Amino acid sequence: MRTVEQHARIIADLLRPTPVESTPLAQARGLVLDADLRAPLDLPPFANSAMDGYAVRAADLTAFPVTLPVSQDIPAGRTDVAPLTPGTAARIMTGAPLPPGADVIVQVERTDGGAERVRIDSAPAPGTHIRGIGEDVRHGDVVLAAGTVIGAPQIGVAAALGHSHLPVRRPLRALVLSTGTELVAPGHPLQPGQIYESNAPMLAAALAAIGAVPTIEHFVADDVIALRAGLDRASAGQDLIITSGGVSAGAYEVVKDALTGQGIEFAKVAMQPGMPQGAGRYRDVAMVTLPGNPVSSYVSFEVFLRPAIRAAMGHPDITRPTVSAPLSAPLDSPAGKRQFRRGQLDTVNGTVAAWGGPGSHLLAWLAGADCMLVIPEDVTHLDAGDQVEVWLLG
């Protein structure tokens, strides 16, 4: 058997880094910046008011109250601001350009709010409520470093600097292929011996959650020729093909039958669930074949595909957050296999417990889990209170 680490390396090596694309800001969230983003201008680009009030010269405020004529109104966006005449005040709005000569903003609450003449009852120190040129960012500064994951604040600062696009690693494109004549799309009636397809929508959702772009191909029958035809038809433009099912050792393992000798290598991995696995390149497209039981399929995605895909998209953090916690109840594990058990954290007591049994068909228990417990290959029993590695799934 392969170790978990050996199979993880094989899959990671299959996925090539996604190319860089100039992407509109609105589509860049969650993607990774490929190059340093430098400021093409100062931010703020001009001195402006941080308050609604009056721009004045501190030298004109020798005693209080003082009344000054209002020489001009300066709303935000005005571009023809005149210098401030000594002995006058300019009524000014937040964000509006500071008139040359003014050195303090008196907020409107310290005045009578006059439009032609204003009585100023008190004033802050010179320089108060003025946003200086380049106070936030200086021209030429590195504002966002290469490798930054783009979120709302990063989009905000890029937009403030005038960028409409960002050079980011594009999302990985993945084809999710469902196989099996027994599969029926949800919403349609079941016949005896049929089941609803769950793996493809589950895997597509997991792909979308990490920023990849999934495409589902429904449903390829248990036929070698049909499977190859479906792959050839749907794999164009994809970075990765993911199948689930048809990779075990029994009869009617259509994925294994169709792809053996076609660039895909099948192996057993020392893990539970998820022992039967396959990986390789099909028509020069990376391909990973997952086991068909739904929990096995999802655990395999978490263990092998999630970190490999995030790495291919340039993410600095590719693994789930991991903690160590004591078990609240004993737990057994098979010898020689790394076990991945669904779990739930007790945040009040700081303990963790297995959630449901180890069966790879128990999908409802997976839906109720908030973590996975990882039990090493050489451990067959853990007592309550023993520490266990926990992957946080939230």
Side-chain angles (χ1 to χ4, degrees):
M1 286 192 187
R2 285 178 184 164
T3 66
V4 170
E5 288 79 10
Q6 286 171 338
H7 195 64
R9 282 195 297 271
I10 288 170
I11 292 178
D13 290 343
L14 280 176
L15 296 185
R16 296 164 179 161
T18 58
V20 178
E21 292 183 347
S22 179
T23 301
L25 287 184
Q27 300 171 23
R29 186 186 63 82
L31 302 179
V32 178
L33 190 66
D34 183 68
D36 290 347
L37 189 74
R38 294 185 177 273
L41 49 84
D42 292 318
L43 198 62
F46 53 86
N48 66 87
S49 176
M51 290 282 178
D52 292 339
Y54 296 84
V56 299
R57 295 172 182 266
D60 292 331
L61 307 177
T62 56
F64 298 104
V66 60
T67 300
L68 299 174
V70 176
S71 58
Q72 59 180 317
D73 275 338
I74 311 176
R78 184 168 175 177
T79 59
D80 58 344
V81 177
L84 183 66
T85 303
T88 69
R91 190 165 63 165
I92 194 166
M93 302 298 110
T94 301
L98 187 74
D103 57 7
V104 64
I105 302 296
V106 179
Q107 58 266 55
V108 69
E109 293 84 358
R110 292 175 179 252
T111 75
D112 66 355
E116 296 183 357
R117 297 181 67 83
V118 61
R119 188 190 73 241
I120 299 174
D121 298 317
S122 63
T128 305
H129 305 316
I130 294 174
R131 300 167 177 159
I133 296 173
E135 186 177 310
D136 187 12
V137 175
R138 287 288 186 184
H139 179 270
D141 284 352
V142 174
V143 182
L144 299 174
T148 297
V149 180
I150 302 301
Q154 292 74 31
I155 288 173
V157 73
L161 291 167
H163 293 281
S164 62
H165 291 65
L166 290 175
V168 292
R169 300 276 288 276
R170 76 152 167 80
L172 180 137
R173 300 165 183 160
L175 173 69
V176 182
L177 192 70
S178 298
T179 64
T181 52
E182 78 280 11
L183 299 177
V184 175
H188 295 271
L190 287 177
Q191 300 297 324
Q194 293 182 327
I195 59 173
Y196 285 121
E197 161 63 352
S198 61
N199 284 359
M202 176 176 65
L203 291 170
L207 287 161
I210 58 173
V213 177
T215 300
I216 297 177
E217 178 74 6
H218 296 286
F219 294 107
V220 176
D222 286 331
D223 178 84
V224 167
I225 295 175
L227 175 58
R228 289 178 183 165
L231 284 173
D232 293 342
R233 179 181 67 253
S235 61
Q238 302 292 336
D239 303 304
L240 171 65
I241 303 166
I242 304 171
T243 67
S244 61
V247 296
S248 295
Y252 305 109
E253 301 296 343
V254 64
V255 172
K256 199 171 186 179
D257 293 342
L259 299 176
T260 297
Q262 302 292 316
I264 310 302
E265 184 179 3
F266 296 91
K268 294 180 179 179
V269 178
M271 62 186 290
Q272 185 193 60
M275 182 176 67
Q277 300 282 342
R281 303 195 75 83
Y282 182 83
R283 309 286 195 264
D284 201 39
V285 180
M287 186 170 189
V288 175
T289 66
L290 304 179
N293 281 317
V295 176
S296 299
S297 192
Y298 183 77
V299 168
S300 298
F301 178 89
E302 285 288 335
V303 175
F304 301 121
L305 281 171
R306 188 179 191 276
I309 291 170
R310 285 177 62 83
M313 292 171 57
H315 280 271
D317 300 317
I318 64 173
T319 59
R320 289 283 192 181
T322 302
V323 298
S324 179
L327 286 168
S328 61
L331 193 61
D332 291 319
S333 185
K337 292 183 180 179
R338 189 172 308 177
Q339 190 177 45
F340 296 89
R341 287 288 293 271
R342 288 134 284 178
Q344 276 203 338
L345 279 167
D346 183 338
T347 56
V348 174
N349 297 312
T351 60
V352 69
W355 187 246
S360 57
H361 63 295
L362 301 175
L363 187 55
W365 289 98
L366 176 63
D370 59 16
C371 63
M372 282 203 308
L373 316 183
V374 184
I375 304 161
E377 294 86 337
D378 59 349
V379 174
T380 57
H381 179 78
L382 292 168
D383 290 317
D386 287 346
Q387 293 288 321
V388 64
E389 180 182 343
V390 180
W391 291 6
L392 304 180
L393 300 180

